[in-house]
Amino acid sequence: MDLKQKKIDKYIIKKFILTFFIALLLIIGIVILFDISEKINKFVENKAPLRAVIFDYYVNFIPYFMNMFSPLFVFITVIFFTSRMAANSEIIAILSCGVSYKRMLRPYMISAALIAILSLGLSLWIIPRSNVQRVQFETRYVKKKNPFSSYNVHYQIDPGKFVYVESFSTWNNTAYDFTLEDIEDNKLVKKISAETAVWDSTFGGWRLQKYFIREYSEGGMQDRVRTGNQLDTVLNLTVTDFYRNKKTVETLPIRQLNKLIKTQKMRGDSNVMYAQIEKHTRYALPFSAFILTIMGVCLSSRKRRGGIGLNIGIGIALSFTYILFLRFSQMFVYSGALPPLIALWLPNVIFAIVAAFLYSRASK
């Protein structure tokens, strides 16, 4: 029996992995064709070089797309080849040999683990690096860049140091209506105001134009006031901090992403939700391979009158429901209804309950 079970394990694992990558190649090919037809006018209008289109965009687009829709690929894969096995009475033959339903799931879970590890590796390290070129290409050739990337920015750059900027222009790396406040023991001790603060990469700091400095004293009777046309200053704030958004967090490997979250939390930066959503999505998405694999096996391991077509239809519907639910759960974070950890793992929890229910019915 042991030898038979090992053969069955190898057979199912081979079927799972092979079908997964075939489905992957076919769907990616179709998606690329649709994407080209949608963006071809943008490429031509913005004079995107063919080499950049192929190597900067589509070569980096493939792993991004593959990972984003991995739940769909996993579910369709399991539904397709398990339905065929059931139609050919292979599932019945396996179970009639004394193999329990739980034991039959083992090779499925091994395959799901391999795909989950691959997805996790892509999410944490490979895709963020490839996204750098993809996002840069999209910014330059596909989407027009707003010259003002930030408005009404409030940051705590260090304990007791607060920065306020009315607007920041990415066109000339300039912050308008700049204010820096020093607070000690809940008291304002120093305030620097400037019409503009221009980023100067030569010394890695800000050049304040038409500045006003006020150092507050006890009682306000001996305040020191200074003004001038230009003042160079180095702060724990760089020009890249104004470029952080939900696109740029996609380009950060996990260590840098964690560092950014820590910094943004300290600063009270509202954009921290983009980094938190990205982080928890990277972990939640690979885990879905286990849940959707169990659901796929339970739904397709028995013969149905509708055949493989009906099972595939159910699989596509449920996998798209999962992906939409995962995207919709981000709205709970944006609205402040749920913390990112709970919101992004909620689809996995709900689908895990559904998977447990389907398993309890299928194994009887």
Side-chain angles (χ1 to χ4, degrees), residues 13-50:
I13 292 170
K14 183 181 177 181
K15 282 260 189 184
F16 196 140
I17 300 299
L18 187 62
T19 308
F20 175 78
F21 282 105
I22 289 173
L24 204 62
L25 291 172
L26 288 173
I27 296 174
I28 284 175
I30 294 169
V31 168
I32 287 175
L33 288 175
F34 276 104
D35 194 71
I36 290 173
S37 64
E38 181 187 348
K39 294 187 172 74
I40 187 69
N41 289 335
K42 292 283 186 182
F43 296 159
V44 174
E45 286 174 12
N46 296 317
K47 298 179 181 179
L50 181 60

Side-chain angles (χ1 to χ4, degrees), residues 133-286:
Q133 288 183 313
R134 182 182 65 83
V135 170
Q136 286 176 351
F137 179 91
E138 286 181 344
T139 302
R140 185 173 181 181
Y141 297 112
V142 180
K143 298 174 183 177
K144 288 185 178 179
K145 195 173 181 181
N146 188 338
F148 288 91
S149 66
S150 305
Y151 295 92
N152 296 323
V153 176
H154 295 263
Y155 285 155
Q156 180 181 212
I157 58 174
D158 285 309
K161 267 190 186 299
F162 296 86
V163 162
Y164 169 75
V165 171
E166 185 178 284
S167 62
F168 179 80
S169 171
T170 56
W171 179 69
N172 55 5
N173 288 337
T174 300
Y176 293 90
D177 287 340
F178 175 91
T179 301
L180 174 65
E181 295 179 344
D182 286 359
I183 296 177
E184 294 178 6
D185 299 325
N186 295 322
K187 293 181 180 179
L188 181 63
V189 296
K190 185 178 180 181
K191 183 175 181 179
I192 302 175
S193 303
E195 284 190 6
T196 60
V198 182
W199 174 254
D200 192 328
S201 58
T202 57
F203 70 95
W206 298 91
R207 180 156 291 159
L208 307 185
Q209 307 282 353
K210 295 185 178 180
Y211 67 88
F212 177 93
I213 301 175
R214 183 168 187 169
E215 298 179 47
Y216 294 86
S217 62
E218 283 290 334
M221 300 299 294
Q222 296 179 338
D223 293 355
R224 292 180 60 195
V225 176
R226 288 179 289 150
T227 62
N229 290 323
Q230 186 173 294
L231 175 68
D232 292 343
T233 182
V234 177
L235 304 171
N236 187 21
L237 180 75
T238 67
V239 70
T240 56
D241 292 310
F242 290 98
Y243 287 84
R244 304 292 188 194
N245 54 41
K246 64 180 179 180
K247 276 290 182 187
T248 55
V249 295
E250 294 176 1
T251 66
L252 301 177
I254 190 62
R255 186 176 293 179
Q256 293 180 26
L257 189 64
N258 286 330
K259 187 177 178 181
L260 175 64
I261 290 171
K262 185 178 178 181
T263 301
Q264 289 183 322
K265 280 184 175 179
M266 183 271 292
R267 292 177 175 175
D269 188 351
S270 60
N271 287 331
V272 69
M273 63 182 176
Y274 297 127
Q276 290 176 319
I277 287 171
E278 178 68 18
K279 176 184 175 179
H280 292 297
T281 301
R282 291 183 188 184
Y283 286 107
L285 203 60

